[in-house]
């Protein structure tokens, strides 16, 4: 025995064996284009990764119909006073946290609209929490505690089989919520257990099983596409301008002026004056400038049209 080593106690019970699962998802298969990855030059490694990444947008394009259905479900839920939930583990879960966190500053969406849930809790955002994704009961309990009938629950799992995510989806479905599974395994068995299945066919990873790569990129693209489209449908974009943004710094305050100039054709000075008259409310200033109405009339029209710029302009035009 090595010096300093502790001799095992024969009477001490052995720790229970941890379960082992061999995943058959496409992301776990060998990529024939990268089998010599460790022998390549730095430039060739980068080329192989870059060429593999080019497959991702086309794979996302193939599931746009499913994403559109999910957008419509989310819009209906939010208009009905309900919420959208993301449940995920590892990279998938962290991407859900990131997407939800960006919506309030970009679109001034109420913070309760999008709720992100990460296997292992907040600490898992920064470091891996051992076996958290395998805890199906944790997902079940967490969803049962916060999901309500009428909500939309989106499960994020590269393999399509993560127990924490599937537990949350089953619990949400029992609560009367609509359910969606987003994964990189078009053949996932769980597809039959959700209302909408988004199986993005990104194929084998450059580094076998490293779903932070193509699978993660695909999930980021889908989430960006999904949540942005939801905000557009809810009237938080006018033309292609973010008119519900929160000006929390100098750059964003300047962007407000730029948006008014772009949307109305007015000068920077006129835009600044309109924004000041509207007490810094970008939508009110925009409606007032486009319609020619007074600030109070613009604010009233927005209130009557559920804060929709197009609706307010239509009211003022009539």
């Amino acid at each position: 025995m090595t010096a300093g080593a502790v001799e095992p106690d024969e009477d001490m019970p052995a720790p229970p064996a941890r379960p082992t699962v061999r995943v058959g998802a496409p992301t776990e298969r060998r990529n024939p284009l990268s089998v010599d990855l460790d022998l390549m030059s730095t430039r060739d490694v980068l080329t192989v990764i870059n060429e593999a990444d080019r497959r991702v947008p086309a794979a996302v394009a193939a599931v746009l119909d499913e994403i559109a259905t999910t957008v419509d479900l989310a819009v209906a839920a939010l208009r009905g006073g309900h919420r959208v939930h993301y449940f995920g583990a590892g990279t998938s879960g962290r991407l859900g946290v990131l997407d939800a966190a960006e919506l309030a500053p970009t679109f001034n969406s109420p913070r309760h609209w999008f709720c992100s849930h990460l296997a292992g809790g907040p600490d898992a955002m920064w470091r891996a929490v051992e076996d958290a994704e395998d805890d199906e009961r944790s997902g079940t309990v967490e969803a049962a505690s916060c999901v309500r009938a009428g909500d939309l629950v989106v499960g994020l799992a590269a393999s399509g089989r993560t127990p924490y995510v599937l537990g949350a989806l089953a619990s949400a479905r029992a609560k009367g919520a609509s359910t969606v599974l987003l994964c990189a395994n078009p053949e996932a068995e769980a597809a039959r257990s959700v209302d909408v299945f988004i199986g993005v066919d990104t194929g084998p990873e450059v580094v076998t099983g490293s779903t932070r790569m193509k699978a993660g990129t695909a999930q980021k693209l889908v989430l960006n596409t999904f949540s942005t489209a939801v905000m557009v449908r809810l009237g938080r974009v006018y033309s292609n301008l973010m008119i519900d943004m929160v000006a929390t710094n100098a750059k964003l305050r300047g962007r407000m002026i730029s948006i008014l100039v772009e949307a109305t054709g007015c000068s920077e000075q006129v835009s600044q004056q309109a924004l000041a008259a509207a007490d810094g409310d970008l939508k009110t200033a925009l409606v007032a400038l486009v319609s020619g109405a007074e600030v109070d009339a613009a604010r009233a029209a927005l209130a009557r049209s559920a804060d929709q710029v197009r609706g307010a302009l239509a009211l003022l035009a009539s």
Side-chain angles (χ1 to χ4, degrees), residues 3-16:
V6 178
E7 187 172 348
D9 185 346
E10 294 181 359
D11 296 328
M12 182 180 295

Side-chain angles (χ1 to χ4, degrees), residues 225-313:
T225 303
F226 162 69
S227 58
T228 301
V230 170
M231 294 298 134
V232 172
R233 301 303 336 146
L234 290 172
R236 292 181 177 262
V237 173
Y238 174 74
S239 181
N240 60 352
L241 302 171
M242 56 171 80
I243 52 169
D244 255 309
M245 56 175 282
V246 181
T248 55
N249 57 47
K251 179 188 74 174
L252 296 181
R253 287 189 287 272
R255 183 178 293 167
M256 277 190 165
I257 301 301
S258 298
I259 288 172
L260 285 175
V261 171
E262 289 285 342
T264 68
C266 294
S267 68
E268 183 174 330
Q269 181 180 1
V270 169
S271 297
Q272 287 177 328
Q273 292 171 345
L275 191 60
D279 298 322
D281 187 275
L282 178 58
K283 275 187 172 180
T284 300
L286 174 62
V287 170
L289 286 175
V290 173
S291 67
E294 297 294 329
V295 166
D296 287 345
R299 187 176 287 117
L302 281 166
R304 290 169 56 200
S305 61
D307 213 30
Q308 305 286 304
V309 168
R310 298 281 186 187
L313 291 173

Side-chain angles (χ1 to χ4, degrees), residues 132-172:
E133 72 171 50
D134 294 328
D135 191 347
E136 181 176 354
R137 184 177 180 279
S138 175
T140 300
V141 170
E142 188 163 353
S145 70
C146 62
V147 175
R148 301 291 179 265
D151 286 355
L152 174 67
V153 174
V154 181
L156 309 170
S159 65
R161 58 152 301 276
T162 305
Y164 169 84
V165 174
L166 298 188
L169 288 170
S171 180

Side-chain angles (χ1 to χ4, degrees), residues 89-104:
T91 297
S92 301
R94 295 182 188 105
L95 289 170
V97 172
L98 176 63
D99 190 70
E102 291 288 349
L103 297 179

Side-chain angles (χ1 to χ4, degrees), residues 124-215:
M125 191 68 190
W126 315 110
R127 60 185 63 86
V129 176
E130 196 170 355
D131 291 334
E133 72 171 50
D134 294 328
D135 191 347
E136 181 176 354
R137 184 177 180 279
S138 175
T140 300
V141 170
E142 188 163 353
S145 70
C146 62
V147 175
R148 301 291 179 265
D151 286 355
L152 174 67
V153 174
V154 181
L156 309 170
S159 65
R161 58 152 301 276
T162 305
Y164 169 84
V165 174
L166 298 188
L169 288 170
S171 180
R173 190 166 54 252
K175 285 272 191 174
S178 298
T179 55
V180 178
L181 175 60
L182 167 58
C183 70
N185 180 6
E187 301 167 0
E189 291 185 11
R192 297 188 293 271
S193 303
V194 292
D195 296 304
V196 184
F197 175 64
I198 306 175
V200 190
D201 188 9
T202 54
E205 298 287 2
V206 169
V207 175
T208 307
S210 181
T211 53
R212 58 181 285 275
M213 301 184 77
K214 285 191 296 179

